[in-house]
Amino acid sequence: MACLEDNDRVSDVIEATWADLCRRLGRLVYDPAPGSVPGESPASAPAAPGAPGAALAQVLPLAPEPLPAPVLLPALDAPGMVPAPGPLLAALAAAALIEAEPLILPDAGGGADAGEQPGEVAGASSGDRPVVRGGPQPVAYRVHPGVAAAITAQAGQELREAADAGLAAFWRTVSRQAREREGGEDSGAVVRAGLAAAPYLLRRGDLDTAGVLLEQAVLRDGSPGTAAAVLPSLRRIAAATGEPKDAVRLARVLAGVDAGEAERLLRGAVDAAAGAGDCRVASAAASELVTLLMAAGRLAEALAVAGQKAEFTGRAGLGPWSRLADQALRLQVLGRMGEHAQVLAETETLRAAMAALPVRGDASEAVNPWSVREVILHTGYASALATGEWQRCLDLNAEAAASVRQRGAGVHEVTQFRFRDASPLIRLGRLGEAGRLLAECQRIFEDQADTPMLATVLGARAGLEDALGHRQAAADLVRAALRLFYARPELRDIAIGHHNLAIYLGELGDDRAGQRAHRLAAALIRRLSGMAHDLAGTVRVLAAELRGDDPAARLPATVARVVATAELTEGVRLGALLAALQPDPRAVEDALAEILRLAAEPQAADSEPDIAADLRAWEPVIADIATACQTGQEPPAELAEFLDEQAKRPDWAALVAVLRRILAGERDEATLLTGLDPIETAIARETLGRLEQPA
């Protein structure tokens, strides 16, 4: 008991590993049960060394009271015999050397998760301890740290080594069985097994196996808690081996903590692996480097490295899933660059290619097929979101979420996928569903201390409040999101935060300087990081705003003024961010001058309309009209006032006229859309489509 890690002092783990430990020590387990085979306990007999399956399915109940001496004494008197763990644990508890505490199994919400089998180690946990579904209630045992340390120090080396070997073998088997489970893997069990096995493996000097199992855990759970748990071990392994593969494992986790150190490690790993002819590791390192560069907004570099990765994959002779992963990575970069039409077309091609491949990969693969599938589906989802194809978003995300659930992912990862439904639900006017989803997601990400995802949820809640007509609440929420985005900078999210805050400030109409500063902040970030498509959309919106401005109103003409105004928002550190993107202040000033020049050109507001952005801006109006038409109620006074204001503007007068005809009961699309430009057509068509959906 003292030689076990804290989280392994659980009845299930002890029962499953007891017979193997005894065999390693040359001892037999005494069992007084009638008809039993001498030397075996019912809990341990069916299981091979280190194998958890059958043993975990037959967990012995803990005796409610200390067992009488006659049960223990025969085993203690017989040479080479030890009692079964149940009587021993009861005796230790009676002597107050350990404290037994029943574990409360997490509520499974009306049943076990899909794919979870009774009697197997489950991905869910109570206090990070393993639990078993389908058997008696497991019991945790607490040992005072001082008592445990003293006993461990007095235990012989043979016992300590046997415990480390047995537990390492047990958790290694759990990880393998969870990954190879019929019907799909149990990702939660893979994570638990990797974290549990590492201390035993490290003490045994098996650094490679420890690194592999920790890597498998991180690939399935990138939450802050898991990252913090694995970092010390991965640092120790990388320092001890100096191997590129271990540097890649460490860098993958460091990317969310210290991007600079992660990039240094990855570039070194690419060079070292390529120089040694290990193209498989070079490909893996390049993949992580692409992801890091995308997060930093260095998209041209990311695309170039993605090409290098594909070359490494080919030279390594990796399988079809690995080659498909390279295409998916390239699509991710193109999506960040705004090439959404191309991404959506290629997504369908890759989905067809996936359907023709085996569900499980073989030794030629360096990736998990489920990971490739989910990346491709999410990349398509992101481009569908950017182009306003809301139902397509829901369809793609439903397919991805089904994959995540099937492999038994943890609550953090499942929630990340569920969250992606929020924005399309808002655009489709399903505001109640979106509100309930966002409340649940916020609670989970707060519990998990996931600051970036919490910021993203707050940004989505701002969109919901805006759709409900609560402009001030929307602005306050996006300010809070922007503050959190700056805490762990991801350029795309920060740019979106500035862009959306500009929208809400414009709707409020009481901070014209702040609105312009945040719009220009978004434009500068996109210009300096190479987000060409997003920049074009921002310039078009800025141009349209300038067209309706008071000629006497002045735009901030210098970077210093943009920064000073934007940084009035708490937590915004725009100056430092721009300096990191472009250390030359003159180049940043030139970028601002270019943005202002493009926005001032007569054709800027009319070229390549950003239909998705305008649909988002008009979403509250569409929702109000749909509600009024479906319920037969009078439109809210705010809607009438807004339409009156927009009817005075030449660029929206035609659309307002059509929307008023829809409110009056007209439904013939061909007649209504005659004479409208592409943006007006999209808004009117979306309004008509909304009327066909259930109220």
Side-chain angles (χ1 to χ4, degrees), residues 17 68 72 102 126 179-180 184 207 246 269 280 316 319 339 393 402 412 473 497 507 512 556 582 589 609 643 695:
T17 57
L72 295 176
S126 180
R179 283 180 275 123
E180 297 175 357
L207 304 184
D246 294 316
R280 187 182 186 115
E339 303 296 335
C393 289
H412 178 271
E507 291 173 351
R512 179 61 59 85
Q582 174 51 264
E589 293 289 354
L643 292 178

mmCIF file of all heavy atoms in Angstrom, residues 17 68 72 102 126 179-180 184 207 246 269 280 316 319 339 393 402 412 473 497 507 512 556 582 589 609 643 695:
data_model
loop_
_atom_site.group_PDB
_atom_site.id
_atom_site.type_symbol
_atom_site.label_atom_id
_atom_site.label_comp_id
_atom_site.label_asym_id
_atom_site.label_seq_id
_atom_site.Cartn_x
_atom_site.Cartn_y
_atom_site.Cartn_z
ATOM 1 N N THR A 17 -4.204 -6.163 -9.154
ATOM 2 C CA THR A 17 -2.751 -6.328 -9.276
ATOM 3 C C THR A 17 -2.151 -7.214 -8.184
ATOM 4 O O THR A 17 -0.956 -7.501 -8.219
ATOM 5 C CB THR A 17 -2.056 -4.950 -9.229
ATOM 6 O OG1 THR A 17 -2.404 -4.282 -8.008
ATOM 7 C CG2 THR A 17 -2.483 -4.086 -10.408
ATOM 8 N N PRO A 68 -12.079 -12.119 11.493
ATOM 9 C CA PRO A 68 -11.471 -12.770 12.673
ATOM 10 C C PRO A 68 -10.099 -13.336 12.351
ATOM 11 O O PRO A 68 -9.774 -13.626 11.204
ATOM 12 C CB PRO A 68 -12.468 -13.883 13.005
ATOM 13 C CG PRO A 68 -13.208 -14.145 11.724
ATOM 14 C CD PRO A 68 -13.284 -12.814 11.030
ATOM 15 N N LEU A 72 -6.905 -14.955 8.812
ATOM 16 C CA LEU A 72 -5.564 -14.473 8.492
ATOM 17 C C LEU A 72 -4.474 -15.465 8.889
ATOM 18 O O LEU A 72 -3.480 -15.634 8.179
ATOM 19 C CB LEU A 72 -5.310 -13.142 9.205
ATOM 20 C CG LEU A 72 -6.172 -11.957 8.774
ATOM 21 C CD1 LEU A 72 -5.852 -10.763 9.667
ATOM 22 C CD2 LEU A 72 -5.911 -11.606 7.318
ATOM 23 N N PRO A 102 -15.393 5.047 0.982
ATOM 24 C CA PRO A 102 -16.083 4.660 -0.258
ATOM 25 C C PRO A 102 -16.017 5.781 -1.294
ATOM 26 O O PRO A 102 -16.148 6.963 -0.957
ATOM 27 C CB PRO A 102 -17.529 4.424 0.194
ATOM 28 C CG PRO A 102 -17.423 4.168 1.666
ATOM 29 C CD PRO A 102 -16.278 5.005 2.152
ATOM 30 N N SER A 126 -13.180 9.847 -9.697
ATOM 31 C CA SER A 126 -13.603 10.571 -8.504
ATOM 32 C C SER A 126 -12.345 11.002 -7.789
ATOM 33 O O SER A 126 -11.587 10.190 -7.294
ATOM 34 C CB SER A 126 -14.448 9.667 -7.605
ATOM 35 O OG SER A 126 -14.852 10.365 -6.453
ATOM 36 N N ARG A 179 -7.211 1.602 -25.956
ATOM 37 C CA ARG A 179 -7.018 2.066 -27.339
ATOM 38 C C ARG A 179 -7.504 1.049 -28.359
ATOM 39 O O ARG A 179 -7.928 1.416 -29.453
ATOM 40 C CB ARG A 179 -5.545 2.392 -27.582
ATOM 41 C CG ARG A 179 -5.113 3.719 -26.976
ATOM 42 C CD ARG A 179 -3.647 4.018 -27.228
ATOM 43 N NE ARG A 179 -2.787 3.390 -26.242
ATOM 44 C CZ ARG A 179 -1.809 2.556 -26.519
ATOM 45 N NH1 ARG A 179 -1.556 2.218 -27.771
ATOM 46 N NH2 ARG A 179 -1.063 2.047 -25.552
ATOM 47 N N GLU A 180 -7.465 -0.228 -27.992
ATOM 48 C CA GLU A 180 -7.825 -1.277 -28.941
ATOM 49 C C GLU A 180 -9.208 -1.846 -28.685
ATOM 50 O O GLU A 180 -9.579 -2.855 -29.269
ATOM 51 C CB GLU A 180 -6.789 -2.405 -28.863
ATOM 52 C CG GLU A 180 -5.383 -1.971 -29.257
ATOM 53 C CD GLU A 180 -4.353 -3.064 -29.058
ATOM 54 O OE1 GLU A 180 -4.737 -4.156 -28.560
ATOM 55 O OE2 GLU A 180 -3.175 -2.836 -29.397
ATOM 56 N N GLY A 184 -14.436 0.860 -30.612
ATOM 57 C CA GLY A 184 -13.865 2.200 -30.458
ATOM 58 C C GLY A 184 -13.176 2.351 -29.123
ATOM 59 O O GLY A 184 -13.520 1.699 -28.131
ATOM 60 N N LEU A 207 12.025 5.243 -19.727
ATOM 61 C CA LEU A 207 11.623 6.585 -20.135
ATOM 62 C C LEU A 207 10.827 6.570 -21.431
ATOM 63 O O LEU A 207 9.912 7.384 -21.619
ATOM 64 C CB LEU A 207 12.871 7.464 -20.301
ATOM 65 C CG LEU A 207 13.793 7.566 -19.080
ATOM 66 C CD1 LEU A 207 14.922 8.551 -19.358
ATOM 67 C CD2 LEU A 207 13.014 7.969 -17.838
ATOM 68 N N ASP A 246 11.374 13.019 -27.950
ATOM 69 C CA ASP A 246 10.980 13.470 -26.622
ATOM 70 C C ASP A 246 10.871 14.991 -26.558
ATOM 71 O O ASP A 246 10.047 15.530 -25.800
ATOM 72 C CB ASP A 246 11.988 12.961 -25.591
ATOM 73 C CG ASP A 246 11.964 11.441 -25.474
ATOM 74 O OD1 ASP A 246 10.860 10.880 -25.436
ATOM 75 O OD2 ASP A 246 13.044 10.827 -25.459
ATOM 76 N N ALA A 269 14.154 19.887 -33.128
ATOM 77 C CA ALA A 269 13.784 18.495 -33.361
ATOM 78 C C ALA A 269 13.668 18.189 -34.849
ATOM 79 O O ALA A 269 14.081 17.115 -35.312
ATOM 80 C CB ALA A 269 12.459 18.184 -32.657
ATOM 81 N N ARG A 280 10.159 10.092 -39.848
ATOM 82 C CA ARG A 280 8.910 9.938 -39.102
ATOM 83 C C ARG A 280 8.841 10.960 -37.973
ATOM 84 O O ARG A 280 7.824 11.636 -37.796
ATOM 85 C CB ARG A 280 8.809 8.512 -38.560
ATOM 86 C CG ARG A 280 7.464 8.194 -37.903
ATOM 87 C CD ARG A 280 7.454 6.786 -37.346
ATOM 88 N NE ARG A 280 6.137 6.415 -36.838
ATOM 89 C CZ ARG A 280 5.372 5.477 -37.335
ATOM 90 N NH1 ARG A 280 5.785 4.773 -38.377
ATOM 91 N NH2 ARG A 280 4.195 5.201 -36.808
ATOM 92 N N ALA A 316 9.231 8.985 -45.160
ATOM 93 C CA ALA A 316 9.153 8.002 -44.080
ATOM 94 C C ALA A 316 8.326 6.788 -44.467
ATOM 95 O O ALA A 316 8.319 5.787 -43.729
ATOM 96 C CB ALA A 316 8.565 8.653 -42.826
ATOM 97 N N GLY A 319 1.588 5.655 -43.773
ATOM 98 C CA GLY A 319 0.385 5.126 -44.397
ATOM 99 C C GLY A 319 -0.609 6.181 -44.851
ATOM 100 O O GLY A 319 -0.392 7.392 -44.705
ATOM 101 N N GLU A 339 -9.415 31.058 -47.158
ATOM 102 C CA GLU A 339 -9.757 30.389 -48.420
ATOM 103 C C GLU A 339 -10.882 29.380 -48.176
ATOM 104 O O GLU A 339 -10.740 28.172 -48.369
ATOM 105 C CB GLU A 339 -8.518 29.697 -48.991
ATOM 106 C CG GLU A 339 -7.337 30.614 -49.231
ATOM 107 C CD GLU A 339 -7.640 31.671 -50.292
ATOM 108 O OE1 GLU A 339 -8.518 31.420 -51.135
ATOM 109 O OE2 GLU A 339 -7.008 32.736 -50.271
ATOM 110 N N CYS A 393 -22.753 23.747 -40.628
ATOM 111 C CA CYS A 393 -21.943 23.745 -39.400
ATOM 112 C C CYS A 393 -22.449 22.684 -38.427
ATOM 113 O O CYS A 393 -21.666 21.885 -37.887
ATOM 114 C CB CYS A 393 -22.008 25.101 -38.714
ATOM 115 S SG CYS A 393 -21.137 26.424 -39.554
ATOM 116 N N ALA A 402 -19.927 12.951 -32.557
ATOM 117 C CA ALA A 402 -20.206 11.514 -32.450
ATOM 118 C C ALA A 402 -18.909 10.720 -32.365
ATOM 119 O O ALA A 402 -18.801 9.755 -31.604
ATOM 120 C CB ALA A 402 -21.036 11.057 -33.652
ATOM 121 N N HIS A 412 -14.044 17.489 -20.732
ATOM 122 C CA HIS A 412 -13.470 18.726 -21.279
ATOM 123 C C HIS A 412 -13.495 18.697 -22.798
ATOM 124 O O HIS A 412 -13.951 19.652 -23.448
ATOM 125 C CB HIS A 412 -12.041 18.897 -20.766
ATOM 126 C CG HIS A 412 -11.353 20.116 -21.301
ATOM 127 N ND1 HIS A 412 -10.633 20.107 -22.475
ATOM 128 C CD2 HIS A 412 -11.277 21.392 -20.827
ATOM 129 C CE1 HIS A 412 -10.153 21.317 -22.700
ATOM 130 N NE2 HIS A 412 -10.524 22.116 -21.721
ATOM 131 N N ALA A 473 -25.053 44.541 -22.621
ATOM 132 C CA ALA A 473 -24.572 43.264 -22.087
ATOM 133 C C ALA A 473 -23.612 42.603 -23.067
ATOM 134 O O ALA A 473 -22.604 42.007 -22.663
ATOM 135 C CB ALA A 473 -25.748 42.338 -21.789
ATOM 136 N N GLY A 497 -12.149 39.373 -31.266
ATOM 137 C CA GLY A 497 -12.647 40.135 -30.121
ATOM 138 C C GLY A 497 -12.697 41.629 -30.395
ATOM 139 O O GLY A 497 -13.696 42.295 -30.095
ATOM 140 N N GLU A 507 -23.304 49.699 -32.397
ATOM 141 C CA GLU A 507 -24.736 49.589 -32.140
ATOM 142 C C GLU A 507 -25.162 50.467 -30.975
ATOM 143 O O GLU A 507 -26.262 51.047 -30.981
ATOM 144 C CB GLU A 507 -25.095 48.127 -31.867
ATOM 145 C CG GLU A 507 -24.963 47.231 -33.102
ATOM 146 C CD GLU A 507 -25.157 45.766 -32.772
ATOM 147 O OE1 GLU A 507 -25.222 45.432 -31.565
ATOM 148 O OE2 GLU A 507 -25.239 44.952 -33.706
ATOM 149 N N ARG A 512 -17.771 56.485 -30.415
ATOM 150 C CA ARG A 512 -17.298 56.395 -31.789
ATOM 151 C C ARG A 512 -15.786 56.193 -31.851
ATOM 152 O O ARG A 512 -15.277 55.407 -32.651
ATOM 153 C CB ARG A 512 -17.702 57.655 -32.566
ATOM 154 C CG ARG A 512 -17.241 57.687 -34.026
ATOM 155 C CD ARG A 512 -17.833 56.535 -34.836
ATOM 156 N NE ARG A 512 -19.276 56.574 -34.825
ATOM 157 C CZ ARG A 512 -20.010 57.305 -35.682
ATOM 158 N NH1 ARG A 512 -19.415 58.041 -36.585
ATOM 159 N NH2 ARG A 512 -21.311 57.282 -35.609
ATOM 160 N N PRO A 556 -8.564 57.799 -36.095
ATOM 161 C CA PRO A 556 -7.202 57.842 -35.548
ATOM 162 C C PRO A 556 -6.202 57.586 -36.671
ATOM 163 O O PRO A 556 -6.251 56.550 -37.327
ATOM 164 C CB PRO A 556 -7.195 56.714 -34.511
ATOM 165 C CG PRO A 556 -8.344 55.831 -34.865
ATOM 166 C CD PRO A 556 -9.359 56.703 -35.518
ATOM 167 N N GLN A 582 5.459 42.881 -35.472
ATOM 168 C CA GLN A 582 6.332 43.652 -36.368
ATOM 169 C C GLN A 582 7.158 44.608 -35.522
ATOM 170 O O GLN A 582 6.667 45.657 -35.101
ATOM 171 C CB GLN A 582 5.495 44.418 -37.402
ATOM 172 C CG GLN A 582 6.275 45.355 -38.294
ATOM 173 C CD GLN A 582 7.487 44.700 -38.952
ATOM 174 O OE1 GLN A 582 8.615 44.807 -38.461
ATOM 175 N NE2 GLN A 582 7.232 44.002 -40.051
ATOM 176 N N GLU A 589 3.209 51.593 -38.832
ATOM 177 C CA GLU A 589 2.559 52.826 -39.304
ATOM 178 C C GLU A 589 2.171 52.698 -40.779
ATOM 179 O O GLU A 589 1.092 53.140 -41.187
ATOM 180 C CB GLU A 589 3.492 54.018 -39.109
ATOM 181 C CG GLU A 589 3.766 54.387 -37.657
ATOM 182 C CD GLU A 589 2.565 55.022 -36.952
ATOM 183 O OE1 GLU A 589 1.534 55.287 -37.610
ATOM 184 O OE2 GLU A 589 2.671 55.249 -35.730
ATOM 185 N N PRO A 609 -18.162 41.501 -51.373
ATOM 186 C CA PRO A 609 -18.914 41.712 -50.137
ATOM 187 C C PRO A 609 -18.728 40.576 -49.138
ATOM 188 O O PRO A 609 -18.723 39.403 -49.504
ATOM 189 C CB PRO A 609 -20.370 41.782 -50.630
ATOM 190 C CG PRO A 609 -20.373 41.070 -51.947
ATOM 191 C CD PRO A 609 -19.043 41.371 -52.552
ATOM 192 N N LEU A 643 -35.502 50.057 -38.305
ATOM 193 C CA LEU A 643 -35.811 50.078 -39.736
ATOM 194 C C LEU A 643 -36.005 51.512 -40.226
ATOM 195 O O LEU A 643 -35.600 51.852 -41.354
ATOM 196 C CB LEU A 643 -37.055 49.228 -40.015
ATOM 197 C CG LEU A 643 -36.892 47.714 -39.798
ATOM 198 C CD1 LEU A 643 -38.209 46.997 -40.053
ATOM 199 C CD2 LEU A 643 -35.802 47.147 -40.698
ATOM 200 N N ALA A 695 -41.279 27.826 -34.872
ATOM 201 C CA ALA A 695 -41.108 28.970 -33.965
ATOM 202 C C ALA A 695 -40.457 28.536 -32.668
ATOM 203 O O ALA A 695 -40.649 27.422 -32.215
ATOM 204 C CB ALA A 695 -42.469 29.595 -33.689
#
